[in-house]
Amino acid sequence: MKKPGEEMENVSGNSMGVLELARRMDDFGDEWSYGIKQLTKFSEKASKALLKVKESFEELDHELAEASKGKGNGKKA
C-alpha cells in the first residue's frame, strides 16, 4: 500500500497539461497518499488488537479444557 501512495503523491499535476486538471491531480495525489497512510496505520492497530483477542480466546479455551479434566473423572468438585 505504501508504494502506490508514494507514487500518487509524486505524480505531478503539470503532466496532465490543463491547469485546473493539474491542480486537482496534485490535490488528489496528496489526499490519496494521506488516506493510504491512515489505512496502513489503522490496519496495523486492528491486526494487533485481533491478535490479542485470538490469544485471549486460546488461553481461555485452554483454561476451560484444564478445568473440565478434573470434573470428567468422576470426582465431585
Side-chain angles (χ1 to χ4, degrees), residues 8 11-26 28:
M8 285 303 297
V11 170
S12 169
N14 291 330
S15 64
M16 305 308 289
V18 179
L19 185 59
E20 180 64 18
L21 183 56
R23 185 184 64 75
R24 289 187 181 200
M25 281 303 297
D26 287 339
F28 176 77

Side-chain angles (χ1 to χ4, degrees), residues 26-40:
D26 287 339
D27 291 344
F28 176 77
D30 293 341
E31 290 173 11
W32 177 271
S33 178
Y34 173 77
I36 294 298
K37 287 175 187 174
Q38 292 300 100
L39 282 172
T40 300

Side-chain angles (χ1 to χ4, degrees), residues 25-76:
M25 281 303 297
D26 287 339
D27 291 344
F28 176 77
D30 293 341
E31 290 173 11
W32 177 271
S33 178
Y34 173 77
I36 294 298
K37 287 175 187 174
Q38 292 300 100
L39 282 172
T40 300
K41 180 173 74 173
F42 294 139
S43 65
E44 287 172 356
K45 287 181 180 180
S47 176
K48 288 178 185 178
L50 288 172
L51 182 58
K52 286 183 182 181
V53 168
K54 175 187 171 276
E55 291 169 350
S56 295
F57 273 109
E58 287 174 344
E59 183 180 338
L60 179 60
D61 189 49
H62 176 73
E63 289 173 7
L64 289 171
E66 290 297 316
S68 69
K69 284 182 184 177
K71 293 183 180 183
N73 60 11
K75 294 181 183 177
K76 291 187 177 183

